[in-house]
Amino acid sequence: RGAGVLYSSRTYSRRIYYQAPSMPVEPPFPLPPIWFEILVSLAGADRHGYAIQQEVEERTDGAVSILPGTLYRALERLLEHGLIRDIESPRDDEDPRRRYYRLTPAGRRVARDEALRLEATLGEARRRRLLDTAS
């Protein structure tokens, strides 16, 4: 966490943390599933919000559909945590209002860690025969 300031009295105790804007806040672990889907999408290419939404839906055969409000709240959180950054449009003919996003090195590490966590969980599910089709 960031630097903390502790206020206390006999009846009141509260720890308040603050973070300098240039220092990303530690992301939650495990990641929220929507965050992971967005990071996976951006691992393949820089994309704008609607393209992220489409790629996730296509990649998951419609099993995951991210609504616009959820998507843009998640993108803001990922930006705050330094896992993605916004970039200039790669093409001059694009709508200037469209924001493009790129995975940062920290975002790639966090997505990799989450993928490894999920892989280990999936391995355990297989060992415990949760994925047997006979059941």
Side-chain angles (χ1 to χ4, degrees):
R1 291 212 163 204
V5 177
L6 178 64
Y7 296 94
S8 64
S9 70
R10 289 177 193 228
T11 58
Y12 177 77
S13 178
R14 181 176 176 195
R15 188 174 302 261
I16 299 174
Y17 288 96
Y18 61 92
Q19 190 76 35
S22 62
M23 297 175 63
V25 177
E26 184 77 21
F29 191 79
L31 285 180
I34 296 301
W35 289 24
F36 184 63
E37 293 293 346
I38 293 168
L39 294 178
V40 169
S41 179
L42 291 173
D46 299 338
R47 301 180 198 282
H48 55 79
Y50 183 65
I52 293 169
Q53 197 176 17
Q54 289 179 310
E55 192 278 335
V56 169
E57 194 161 332
E58 287 172 17
R59 180 171 36 83
T60 64
D61 292 325
V64 178
S65 182
I66 308 173
L67 296 174
T70 302
L71 173 70
Y72 289 101
R73 274 192 303 280
L75 288 170
E76 285 303 314
R77 298 298 174 268
L78 291 166
L79 285 164
E80 289 171 7
H81 288 285
L83 303 180
I84 64 172
R85 64 184 181 96
D86 54 356
I87 61 170
E88 294 292 322
S89 172
R91 297 182 8 201
D92 291 333
D93 62 341
E94 287 285 339
D95 183 341
R97 296 170 296 175
R98 188 170 274 172
R99 287 176 69 182
Y100 275 77
Y101 302 93
R102 174 174 290 161
L103 192 62
T104 64
R108 187 168 293 279
R109 283 190 304 273
V110 167
R112 179 183 173 277
D113 289 348
E114 181 69 0
L116 291 171
R117 184 190 72 78
L118 292 169
E119 183 178 57
T121 301
L122 184 57
E124 192 58 34
R126 283 190 175 114
R127 279 188 289 286
R128 294 177 187 210
R129 302 183 185 275
L130 287 175
L131 300 177
D132 285 349
T133 56
S135 299

